[in-house]
Amino acid sequence: QVQLVESGGRLVQAGGSLRVSCAASGGTFTLYGMGWFRQAPGKEREFVAGINWTGGTTTYADSVKGRFTISRDNAKNTLYLQMNRLKPEDTAVYYCARSYTNGWSRKSDEYAYWGQGTQVTVSS
């Protein structure tokens, strides 16, 4: 059974940096694209970043482009999201997800498995 477990979320000041992680188990992590999504209170879940199975191709939401970096370590079955120059509007629960395919997608319904989320709070 595939499990995704996020960690690393915490309270951080605006302008600061944070890295969240997603540990995968129970499946062949290396064969699938992965994504990060987030959901703020009262808002719909939104795409943040995606990465293909090799890590060679990535994509970002416009709101985080240039500030966030998605990466993966296939030897450790772990996905990362490095977040720099954080803003209060980045406050949300961050979820990692595994795609149905070896690529990434901006659509949440194209992801088969989801983690439980990790809370990131950015204070102004």
Side-chain angles (χ1 to χ4, degrees):
Q1 183 176 356
V2 175
Q3 285 192 319
L4 302 173
V5 180
E6 301 94 336
S7 62
R10 61 176 176 87
L11 174 65
V12 62
Q13 286 191 334
S17 297
L18 186 66
R19 188 178 78 165
V20 292
S21 302
C22 171
S25 62
T28 310
F29 177 78
T30 57
L31 295 180
Y32 296 93
M34 299 291 294
W36 285 101
F37 290 76
R38 67 186 181 186
Q39 187 167 19
K43 295 187 177 181
E44 293 188 353
R45 185 165 52 188
E46 64 174 356
F47 172 79
V48 175
I51 189 168
N52 77 331
W53 67 296
T54 65
T57 305
T58 59
T59 190
Y60 298 91
D62 288 344
S63 59
V64 306
K65 195 174 297 182
R67 299 188 297 121
F68 290 12
T69 303
I70 187 172
S71 62
R72 63 191 298 164
D73 186 337
N74 283 345
K76 295 183 178 180
N77 287 355
T78 303
L79 178 73
Y80 302 101
L81 185 67
Q82 177 68 43
M83 301 181 284
N84 299 327
R85 303 198 307 276
L86 282 159
K87 304 175 181 180
E89 51 264 45
D90 294 319
T91 294
V93 177
Y94 283 72
Y95 299 90
C96 69
R98 197 192 85 174
S99 173
Y100 283 106
T101 72
N102 61 10
W104 48 261
S105 172
R106 294 173 179 261
K107 300 178 180 180
S108 61
D109 60 1
E110 295 187 3
Y111 289 82
Y113 297 96
W114 294 81
Q116 84 290 344
T118 187
Q119 176 71 48
V120 173
T121 303
V122 184
S123 63
S124 56

